[in-house]
Amino acid sequence: MALKWLARCGWWTRGALARASARLSGRAFDGPGGNLVAQSLAAHGGYPLAATLIGRRISRIAVHPGRQREGIGQQLIAQAHAENCDYLSVSFGYTPELWRFWQRCGFILVRMGNHKEASSGCYTAMALLPLNAAGRRLAEYEHQRLRRDADILARWNGEAIPVEPLKATTLNEDDWQALAGFAFAHRPLLTSLGCMSRLLLTSTLPLPALRGCLQERRSDAELCVTLRLSGRKALLKRQREEAAQALAAVEPSRAEHARNRILQWQFFH
């Protein structure tokens, strides 16, 4: 029977975004459109230039149940390789069995979500298969970031993350840029889970809105009552203010520089 009748693999190829726009999207504001994985890595990860590379996203793959475990899926992934692409990407509801398939195909795990998707009941995982040196740099960089956050994510999700964790307790440059994006712009709180947890370990300030959410796992409604806030918008505003206070307490001049840089981006865009 012909391979095309046994299995299907669909993909989308997305082009590069301008480098300046990618940096802007990656550090503080809304993500670029197009490839979901590139968008996520640029807007929520630590590598905004992910959006300047050319990626091919595997959107679906299926093999006839009677012909699975014969390497047909891996053949389909090999057919998706393209000379003008830097990497292949995939996002999927994480299960150990699904991850083993993508791992056998050569993919590297680069991101794990922190809330379960309603459709699958699983945490969303993202993985990359590098096709050249630029793709390799991206995959390795993002994999290292995931390893830094692995212990924090595992505790938050209540599930092990299938990477070797790094015992990171101090803030690095990526952490500072992500934290500034939350404190001074519009970055969501839970996309900053790893670096925000490290900031809370570093800071001696009370920070009740942040600690109540991330360390005590209290609901937004409960925090609003305790802190006498009018609702979620007011709570988020307080959390951003606390993050700014914590950054200023750690390194005042660095925090001010980060704030001014984001204000300049806002002014010119």
Side-chain angles (χ1 to χ4, degrees), residues 179-237:
L179 290 166
F182 174 76
F184 306 121
H186 309 294
R187 184 183 176 95
L189 176 60
L190 289 186
T191 62
S192 311
L193 179 61
C195 57
M196 191 64 71
S197 297
R198 286 186 285 274
L199 177 62
L200 294 180
L201 289 174
T202 301
S203 177
T204 58
L205 297 176
L207 310 174
L210 286 173
R211 294 191 191 279
C213 175
L214 300 183
Q215 293 182 333
E216 301 168 18
R217 302 292 294 270
R218 298 168 70 185
S219 69
D220 288 353
E222 185 180 358
L223 285 173
C224 286
V225 171
T226 301
L227 301 175
R228 298 182 179 181
L229 298 172
S230 59
R232 289 184 176 179
K233 288 185 179 180
L235 175 60
L236 180 59
K237 182 175 183 292

